[in-house]
Amino acid sequence: MDSKKIGFIGLGLIGGSIARAIRRYYPDYEIIAFDHDKETLADATKDSVIHVACTSVDNNFRDCLYIFLCAPAAYNTSYMEQLLPYLHPDLILTDVASVKTPIHEEAVRLGLEEYFIGGHPMAGSEKSGFANSRPLLIENAYFILTPSSKTPASKTRAYAAFIKNLRSIPLVLDFRLHDQVTGTISHLPHIIAASLVNFVRETDTADELMKHLAAGGFKDITRIASSSPIMWQHICTQNKENISRILNDYIQTLLKAKDLIDQGRSDAIYDMFGRAGNYRSSMPDGSGGLIQKSFCVFCDIPDESGAIATIATILASNTINIKNVGIVHNREFEEGVLRIEFYDEAACEKATALLKRHRYIIYEH
């Protein structure tokens, strides 16, 4: 079947970003989409991201080459059943959830294993919704594929090639292994970040001294606590067995660290931080990950009127967009008075070179 039609159910941050990437790299493909939010469909149509806005999962989804399930994970399984009338041998049915076991189990229950390949683009943002979607979100990010036991190898190869042409990095994994890995490197850190922020909130002084003195380092390691609570509610319930086991193992690690401190074992404490630093330094920076890095520079500026405006003007006149900017009051763990955050690495590098040419002292992190 020589179809060039791709369907989306849900056009949030991830679905919208994939759809935008398809429009960029497969301009001759027709994209149809259903979303409960009519404003989202209107915006996607206005931006020429989609060709057909559907008011329900209907006959428009017939003859699709791919159908992407991009609704919240708990809802995707119900949409699978609604899609049964529109299946055909060449169709690849996929999703984008960061938990794979429940939807694979539903694919088995519905007899959809020959059609279904789970998908998980390892990319994201603290912001959600179609308004924040962009094609570069998935560029150079790992895109995990989890074929079912009955998925033809030819379909897996075709999907991997399709993802590669979107400038993502396809990686095929067993869905059970996927949930163990993401439970450790994504789900656990989000739980830790949220718990740490709540711990500070609950133990803060009456005048919120901790909140006002929190260093940039604290805000960096807890940044992901600002992620969508609805999404993380779904993830924690969908992957609860893995998360519970991983949390228990991590709690034991914390207790071991507490014992080292209680016993004053300075050599062991040094070793704990040394091994962690070495392992973290060995992690590659070249591709996207589940927890997105921030692109920041720190800059020394004089305490005088218009200092920040001057830098903003220099960057704006060179078409460099600033994501966020602020004065760093607590510089216990970082240098530089001004923290400037950018949307991507290219803008960060361009800004660094530009500000250095203007004789600003820049600290790269």
Side-chain angles (χ1 to χ4, degrees):
M1 182 179 188
D2 189 23
S3 173
K4 288 191 174 182
K5 183 163 70 169
I6 297 177
F8 282 84
I9 295 179
L11 274 180
L13 175 70
I14 300 299
S17 295
I18 295 173
R20 289 182 186 275
I22 292 172
R23 288 291 289 131
R24 171 175 290 191
Y25 298 114
Y26 291 91
D28 56 336
Y29 276 49
E30 179 187 13
I31 300 178
I32 65 169
F34 162 74
D35 194 289
H36 278 297
D37 189 336
K38 291 182 173 58
E39 288 187 13
T40 291
L41 292 175
D43 289 342
T45 303
K46 183 179 67 175
D47 291 352
S48 299
V49 175
I50 65 173
H51 300 87
V52 179
C54 305
T55 56
S56 64
V57 180
D58 57 25
N59 199 53
N60 282 295
F61 284 88
R62 191 177 301 278
D63 298 329
C64 283
L65 181 61
Y66 292 90
I67 296 179
F68 287 84
L69 297 167
C70 304
Y75 304 142
N76 279 338
T77 52
S78 65
Y79 286 123
M80 291 179 79
E81 195 156 10
Q82 296 180 47
L83 288 168
L84 287 174
Y86 312 117
L87 304 180
H88 59 82
D90 296 325
L91 172 70
I92 293 176
L93 179 63
T94 187
D95 77 317
V96 296
S98 67
V99 182
K100 302 263 68 89
T101 299
I103 198 163
H104 270 274
E105 291 175 344
E106 185 68 5
V108 172
R109 188 185 74 81
L110 294 172
L112 300 179
E113 289 180 278
E114 63 183 287
Y115 307 98
F116 185 71
I117 302 175
H120 178 203
M122 296 176 67
S125 168
E126 306 95 272
K127 297 180 180 180
S128 59
F130 179 79
N132 295 295
S133 64
R134 58 190 192 277
L136 292 179
L137 185 73
I138 64 170
E139 186 169 308
N140 288 322
Y142 286 115
F143 201 120
I144 299 178
L145 308 182
T146 60
S148 297
S149 60
K150 297 180 182 178
T151 304
S154 58
K155 282 190 175 182
T156 302
R157 288 193 298 270
Y159 191 14
F162 180 79
I163 292 303
K164 192 171 183 180
N165 287 337
L166 296 181
R167 306 303 189 268
S168 289
I169 306 168
L171 179 64
V172 179
L173 289 180
D174 175 81
F175 68 89
R176 299 175 191 85
L177 177 60
H178 168 277
D179 287 357
Q180 294 173 23
V181 170
T182 55
T184 303
I185 64 172
S186 174
H187 307 166
L188 176 65
H190 278 82
I191 294 168
I192 292 171
S195 300
L196 180 55
V197 171
N198 284 328
F199 176 76
V200 170
R201 178 180 60 83
E202 293 162 5
T203 58
D204 204 351
T205 59
D207 57 355
E208 296 188 322
L209 189 60
M210 293 185 193
K211 177 180 178 179
H212 293 297
L213 291 181
F218 177 85
K219 294 183 74 174
D220 282 344
I221 65 172
T222 59
R223 174 172 48 88
I224 54 177
S226 299
S227 299
S228 165
I230 294 176
M231 180 179 74
W232 284 99
Q233 175 193 40
H234 282 276
I235 287 173
C236 286
T237 54
Q238 294 256 316
N239 200 25
K240 62 181 182 180
E241 289 83 6
N242 279 315
I243 292 175
S244 178
R245 176 184 54 77
I246 293 163
L247 266 175
N248 183 69
D249 292 344
Y250 179 68
I251 289 168
Q252 299 308 310
T253 300
L254 288 178
L255 290 173
K256 289 178 182 177
K258 179 180 180 299
D259 286 343
L260 296 180
I261 294 168
D262 288 344
Q263 297 166 23
R265 297 176 56 191
S266 60
D267 288 346
I269 294 170
Y270 177 91
D271 185 57
M272 176 181 72
F273 283 104
R275 284 186 286 111
N278 290 336
Y279 186 69
R280 187 186 184 282
S281 297
S282 71
M283 292 180 177
D285 289 326
S287 62
L290 287 167
I291 300 173
Q292 295 298 291
K293 66 181 291 185
S294 58
F295 302 101
C296 304
V297 297
F298 293 80
C299 176
D300 279 339
I301 59 171
D303 184 9
E304 60 186 29
S305 177
I308 297 178
T310 299
I311 287 181
T313 301
I314 290 172
L315 297 177
S317 63
N318 286 271
T319 65
I320 301 173
N321 293 324
I322 298 174
K323 181 178 182 181
N324 202 358
V325 63
I327 297 294
V328 181
H329 294 290
N330 183 338
R331 294 191 289 278
E332 183 178 2
F333 297 107
E334 55 203 5
E335 299 173 290
V337 175
L338 187 70
R339 179 183 188 273
I340 313 171
E341 184 176 2
F342 303 92
Y343 286 95
D344 54 50
E345 188 172 13
C348 188
E349 292 177 348
K350 184 178 177 182
T352 299
L354 182 63
L355 292 175
K356 284 181 177 178
R357 286 202 300 272
H358 281 78
R359 300 187 181 281
Y360 285 95
I361 298 174
I362 302 296
Y363 304 94
E364 300 173 59
H365 287 245

